[in-house]
Amino acid sequence: MTNDFSILIADDNEINLWLLREQLEYWTTNITSAKDGREAWQLLQERRYDFIFLDVNMPFLSGFDVAANLRGTENYNRQTPAVAVTAHAQNQQQERAIAAGFNECLVKPVRLYQLEQLLVRWRQHEAVNAEYYAGQLLRKAQHNRQLSQVLMGKLFEQLPGLILDIERALDNGLLQQAWELNHKLHGTFCFYDFADCLAVVENLQKALAQADAELARQRFNTMKIKLIRLLDNQDQVLKCLSDDDVIL
């Protein structure tokens, strides 16, 4: 589990609230819960979240009301992706959710694979904090920019092959081999001291150690998204390392 993105969830049913939180904790521990729409709206006015999950039928303020407030007023979360959670599968309910300002609609019971697909879809183009990675490596290299560029280049060369090898091992049910390959990746990120990447690698390592193939696949997908996002932004990271005007 990681803390690299935040989620607000709201549902007046305690069991549903607990279950959704348990599912989302596969991806992040940074989760805030609200027991009704009024409490959710209060929390949303206090800080920004990366995702919002709202049950549509709640007392005081429904999920529809909260979504309308989000999109219709100036607040921290006016642009935050919001997901309607409903017990009704009819298209009419889903159309109403989108019209109210929701970006997505999930029907209960919510499945893990649905959450994974949704989070992947909304996070895959998220920008990387290039200065964080550059700064971590510069500290490791005692602020030697040339050495830092070489080290970062080696990481970018190695990552695609390691990701592919781990995925192939999982596809073939070779959990021990996947563990050994992921262990190499763990050592790499321990050296580079990228805490967010290390966290997703450690989560996969635990699932592989438990020989839980389904959980390992889910956590591998989470890790893969994280690392591909880093690879997609390698030019920005290398630019930070080469630009003397960037203060890290």
Side-chain angles (χ1 to χ4, degrees), residues 133-134 137-138 141 144-162 188-189 191-192 194 230-231 233-239 241-242:
Y133 297 109
L137 192 50
L138 276 172
N144 184 325
R145 287 184 181 267
Q146 185 175 1
L147 175 59
S148 297
Q149 290 175 59
V150 171
L151 290 171
M152 189 65 78
K154 289 185 179 296
L155 175 64
F156 288 140
E157 288 176 8
Q158 295 172 0
L159 274 184
L162 275 172
T188 296
F189 282 119
F191 171 79
Y192 284 85
F194 296 167
L230 175 58
L231 287 167
N233 288 269
Q234 59 184 287
D235 289 344
Q236 291 93 317
V237 179
L238 292 171
K239 185 177 185 300
L241 287 170
S242 63

Side-chain angles (χ1 to χ4, degrees), residues 2 13 55 62 107 109 115-116 127 133 145 151 153 179 194 222 225:
T2 68
N13 184 300
D55 178 51
S62 71
V107 178
L115 291 173
E116 180 180 9
Y133 297 109
R145 287 184 181 267
L151 290 171
W179 186 94
F194 296 167
T222 300
I225 293 163

